[in-house]
Amino acid sequence: MKSIIRKALTLLTVYYAYMVEYRAELILWVLSGSLPIILMGVWIKASQSGQFGLSSVDFARYFLTVFVVRQISVVWVIWEFEREVVEGKLSPKLLQPLDPVWHHVASHLSERVARIPFAIILIFLFLFLYPQAFWLPNLGQVLLFTLAVSLAFILRFVIQYTFAMFAFWTERANAIENFWFLFYLFLSGLIAPLEVFPAHVREVVLFTPFPYLIDFPASILVGLPVDMTRGFLSLIAWILIFLGANRWLWRAGLKRYSGMGA
């Protein structure tokens, strides 16, 4: 156990040092996730003349929370893994007594810690400009949100890492992610909360992994009605499904890997 903890701390320390070398780039990454803030203005304006069941303050709080969820759950592993396979950089990692995925996990977790201060500054700036949106969720909401957003990050990572496995068969595995992102954009709650979807559409979407990546954790913190049991069970189920597919594709892909470009 001590050996595992020591390896984990070493990986996190190394990747954190690497991440903070590019502070300006980190700021740009944080700003690139500000789409929910832009959409917030659109929906606040729409709520003043439409009947959506949510007030302008509800929309402001929802999209502010979506911004937080996006900062925590953003994933880029497919581009890193694809480059490693195409350029042959995966080969030395296969010689290490450590599954290469842990390098990517450490990279993502370290980046989360490095970007948090910049994200907090943007949140405080928004609340300063729009104080009506300020609210204090209770302890139960905070704990459930923390669990939900952590599972959402794991699911998002496992999904993208599973798509990355196709880099063993094609040099453009990220094309799969780009296609997937179109559905993610519209069905996850990033563009609009599921609460404003027609009831029959919402019921269909809830059978997919998309709403549990953003809408579910965001709705918990804001206080919108959600089915907690279904939400958490769906998150766990989809994680296990994609994890199983990932491990199968990993074993099959290694048989094809030739270290090209090394």
Side-chain angles (χ1 to χ4, degrees):
M1 181 60 70
K2 290 183 179 179
S3 175
I4 294 175
I5 294 175
R6 185 170 61 253
K7 290 178 181 177
L9 290 176
T10 300
L11 278 175
L12 291 171
T13 301
V14 169
Y15 280 105
Y16 178 78
Y18 174 75
M19 289 297 171
V20 294
E21 286 183 1
Y22 304 96
R23 294 181 181 88
E25 188 175 356
L26 269 175
I27 296 174
L28 292 177
W29 287 349
V30 173
L31 291 175
S32 68
S34 60
L35 176 61
I37 305 298
I38 298 172
L39 291 171
M40 178 195 306
V42 175
W43 280 104
I44 287 176
K45 185 65 177 178
S47 67
Q48 295 173 356
S49 57
Q51 299 295 326
F52 297 105
L54 297 176
S55 66
S56 59
V57 173
D58 290 330
F59 278 114
R61 291 174 179 175
Y62 175 83
F63 281 106
L64 180 62
T65 308
V66 169
F67 171 76
V68 174
V69 174
R70 283 278 292 159
Q71 297 302 317
I72 296 173
S73 63
V74 63
V75 175
W76 64 86
V77 64
I78 190 168
W79 288 276
E80 288 187 346
F81 187 84
E82 180 184 85
R83 185 176 65 254
E84 289 177 352
V85 173
V86 172
E87 298 179 3
K89 295 180 179 179
L90 180 63
S91 300
K93 290 185 177 180
L94 293 175
L95 298 176
Q96 299 175 5
L98 185 71
D99 191 310
V101 68
W102 295 113
H103 287 276
H104 299 295
V105 171
S107 173
H108 281 68
L109 293 179
S110 299
E111 193 272 347
R112 276 326 89 92
V113 176
R115 78 156 60 201
I116 282 176
F118 302 110
I120 290 176
I121 291 173
L122 283 179
I123 292 170
F124 276 108
L125 177 61
F126 169 78
L127 291 175
F128 174 78
L129 296 174
Y130 196 73
Q132 300 95 319
F134 179 79
W135 87 106
L136 287 175
N138 60 51
L139 180 60
Q141 287 176 306
V142 173
L143 293 176
L144 289 171
F145 169 77
T146 302
L147 177 59
V149 77
S150 299
L151 290 173
F153 165 69
I154 294 172
L155 176 57
R156 185 80 176 96
F157 183 91
V158 173
I159 289 173
Q160 197 176 106
Y161 193 54
T162 300
F163 293 156
M165 294 298 105
F166 287 96
F168 289 120
W169 288 271
T170 175
E171 295 183 6
R172 289 293 179 266
N174 65 74
I176 302 173
E177 167 64 17
N178 292 335
F179 179 71
W180 167 274
F181 187 77
L182 293 175
F183 296 94
Y184 169 81
L185 193 64
F186 291 99
L187 302 180
S188 65
L190 178 60
I191 296 294
L194 259 66
E195 188 69 19
V196 304
F197 281 36
H200 61 282
V201 175
R202 185 165 60 246
E203 283 303 313
V204 174
V205 173
L206 288 173
F207 283 100
T208 72
F210 300 108
Y212 308 104
L213 295 170
I214 291 182
D215 184 86
F216 177 64
S219 296
I220 290 176
L221 193 64
V222 175
L224 298 179
V226 288
D227 188 334
M228 296 288 184
T229 302
R230 178 176 183 173
F232 283 109
L233 288 179
S234 296
L235 277 167
I236 294 171
W238 282 113
I239 289 172
L240 293 176
I241 289 171
F242 278 97
L243 189 59
N246 178 278
R247 292 297 85 187
W248 182 82
L249 289 169
W250 170 257
R251 289 190 293 270
L254 283 180
K255 296 176 182 179
R256 296 180 53 87
Y257 180 62
S258 59
M260 57 180 176

